[in-house]
Amino acid sequence: MQRARAVEGNRQSVPGRGAEESAPRPTPLTLVSGALAGNDLRSVAATVAEALGRPVAIAIPAWGEPAVSPADALSSEQVPAITAFASAIARDESPAPPAFIAESIPVRIGEQVVGIAAAAGPVTQALVPAAEQRAWLEAAAAAASVTALIRDAQATTPEDAHAALLWELAAGPTDDLPAFLIRARRLGVELGAGATAICAQRATGADADATGAVPAELAAEHAALLAESPGGRLLGLSPMNGAGDGSAAAIADGLRELGMIVAVSAPRRDPAILHEAVREAELLIELAQTAGGQLAAQDETYRLLIGVLLRDPEELGQLRATTISPLADYDARHDTDLLATLQAFLSHDGSTTETAEAMKLHRHTVGYRLSRVHEVSGLSPYESDGRERLSLGLKAHQIITAAGRRGAPPNR
């Protein structure tokens, strides 16, 4: 990247370069004009590092690793330390700076702090007097602010920005929560107090044009994050407020009016586990579209078991293994329908007659199959304890199967 040209009246010799002719030297003012002309953060850091005679880092956590000049000036331990320090400053905390930072200036967009410009290490051979060094660092912060504003303006549409945040959470916990919250805040969505997740699926045969503009409209109306994938599935986060779960219910109602299948997670007040809310809503919508799972979104037992899956998948697998798996294995070996019969029996509140009618079977056939369920699983569907265990196992089986269709969340 080329640096901005200095004004003609600022020409002077540049020490240490062996140049016989005078050459233009950058000034704090030209740092900002250079940012307006398109200079990136690394160029700004390089110019200021040369002027101050010491390493300079510009850290905006939402953008990843800081821009450092010289490139190898900070160690592998110092780079994350300066990023963590910048994140804490952006959260309006007052942390002690790492020992290697000599001075730092906040990088602001309006009233919001998004990072820092910092000078590190001892001075070697500075090109400017000590009295001017802070002004150069302040100019670096101002140039970084300009660069951030230009980058935001050119990056993506608001819809794309919403989608990027939501797909990031759908993939698992975010690697940098402070930066994630800053990105959401810059879109007008405050997630610091937590949020409720929403997942909706356009019903088969629904008019895509009728729902295409819905995410942007609802996001603007309720200050929420909403985005729809090309496959017709919508994800959203409705921020918590002082009174409760914000506008999640209103958003869900608006989507249902358009004929969408909607699931809403339990609220999460800790923003560090918002990915769990998204995963819960995704699994509930998956369950709501499968036979026998239509009421999953309204059944709190499913939410509790999804929580077990998110915290300890092996525990949920053990529940299935000790209840339902023997029945599934028996059906596979003998081409029977014990599992389907049990599911119908539980769905009809333990009525053999209603189960027989629903499955178009004789009542005695249903009774025989349920007796086999008892023999194979060791749990009686006629007794309250056995029926409860089998019901939990069946729900665990449905959740694990749904999670397999959606893909397991990655381990971070």
Side-chain angles (χ1 to χ4, degrees):
M1 289 287 185
Q2 289 185 342
R3 300 176 190 162
R5 293 180 179 276
V7 294
E8 289 296 318
N10 191 48
R11 290 181 176 271
Q12 56 182 291
S13 61
V14 181
R17 295 186 182 178
E20 297 298 329
E21 300 179 6
S22 63
R25 193 190 78 189
T27 69
L29 179 61
T30 60
L31 282 178
V32 178
S33 61
L36 287 168
N39 285 0
D40 63 8
L41 292 186
R42 295 191 183 281
S43 176
V44 173
T47 301
V48 179
E50 185 178 14
L52 302 187
R54 66 195 329 169
V56 167
I58 301 176
I60 299 180
W63 292 9
E65 290 194 354
V68 180
S69 184
D72 58 352
L74 299 184
S75 69
S76 58
E77 291 79 21
Q78 289 174 329
V79 170
I82 200 167
T83 301
F85 177 61
S87 296
I89 295 294
R91 293 193 300 268
D92 200 26
E93 299 174 4
S94 301
F100 62 89
I101 294 181
E103 187 171 12
S104 65
I105 302 293
V107 175
R108 301 178 184 272
I109 297 180
E111 296 299 317
Q112 178 184 343
V113 176
V114 297
I116 60 169
V123 177
T124 53
Q125 185 177 359
L127 301 184
V128 298
E132 295 181 20
Q133 295 211 2
R134 182 176 176 84
W136 276 83
L137 207 56
E138 290 174 343
S145 298
V146 171
T147 301
L149 284 169
I150 293 174
R151 174 169 167 164
D152 280 354
Q154 294 177 343
T156 57
T157 65
E159 292 82 2
D160 290 338
H162 281 218
L165 289 169
L166 289 164
W167 305 155
E168 181 177 328
L169 282 183
T174 179
D175 292 324
D176 190 339
L177 179 61
F180 180 90
L181 296 178
I182 289 172
R183 288 158 59 197
R185 195 173 297 128
R186 283 153 73 176
L187 293 170
V189 182
E190 179 52 64
L191 298 175
T196 301
I198 300 163
C199 186
Q201 179 72 47
R202 188 185 298 127
T204 304
D207 184 359
D209 293 336
T211 58
V214 169
E217 293 172 0
L218 287 176
E221 181 179 356
H222 298 288
L225 287 176
L226 288 169
E228 188 172 6
S229 70
R233 178 157 290 186
L234 178 144
L235 285 181
L237 283 175
S238 175
M240 301 290 289
N241 56 34
D245 63 353
S247 302
I251 294 171
D253 288 343
L255 295 171
R256 290 189 184 103
E257 289 175 3
L258 292 164
M260 299 187 83
I261 304 168
V262 182
V264 180
S265 78
R268 303 300 200 280
R269 294 191 177 275
D270 181 358
I273 56 172
L274 288 179
H275 63 285
E276 291 188 3
V278 171
R279 187 69 178 175
E280 177 186 320
E282 282 194 304
L283 288 173
L284 286 172
I285 205 69
E286 193 70 32
L287 288 166
Q289 297 181 90
T290 58
Q294 288 84 354
L295 299 180
Q298 288 76 42
D299 189 334
E300 286 302 315
T301 306
Y302 280 94
R303 296 184 188 279
L304 293 174
L305 292 176
I306 288 172
V308 174
L309 175 72
L310 295 173
R311 293 190 304 274
D312 189 352
E314 291 185 2
E315 182 179 349
L316 197 66
Q318 181 67 17
L319 173 61
R320 178 174 70 168
T322 57
T323 55
I324 299 301
S325 291
L327 299 176
D329 294 342
Y330 187 91
D331 282 344
R333 290 196 310 270
H334 300 283
D335 194 24
T336 53
D337 292 310
L338 300 186
L339 200 57
T341 304
L342 173 65
Q343 181 172 324
F345 180 70
L346 295 174
S347 298
H348 290 89
D349 299 320
S351 170
T352 304
T353 301
E354 292 181 12
T355 301
E357 291 175 355
M359 298 188 73
K360 296 181 173 55
L361 297 172
H362 193 280
R363 186 165 59 87
H364 293 310
T365 302
V366 172
Y368 170 76
R369 289 183 180 180
L370 294 174
S371 296
R372 296 296 294 162
V373 167
H374 187 185
E375 292 176 13
V376 173
S377 68
L379 299 167
S380 172
Y382 294 111
E383 298 176 2
S384 59
D385 181 65
R387 186 161 56 244
E388 182 178 351
R389 288 275 298 165
L390 289 167
S391 177
L392 287 172
L394 188 58
K395 289 171 181 175
H397 174 70
Q398 292 171 337
I399 290 169
I400 292 170
T401 303
R405 288 195 301 270
R406 293 301 300 158
N411 295 321
R412 293 290 187 97

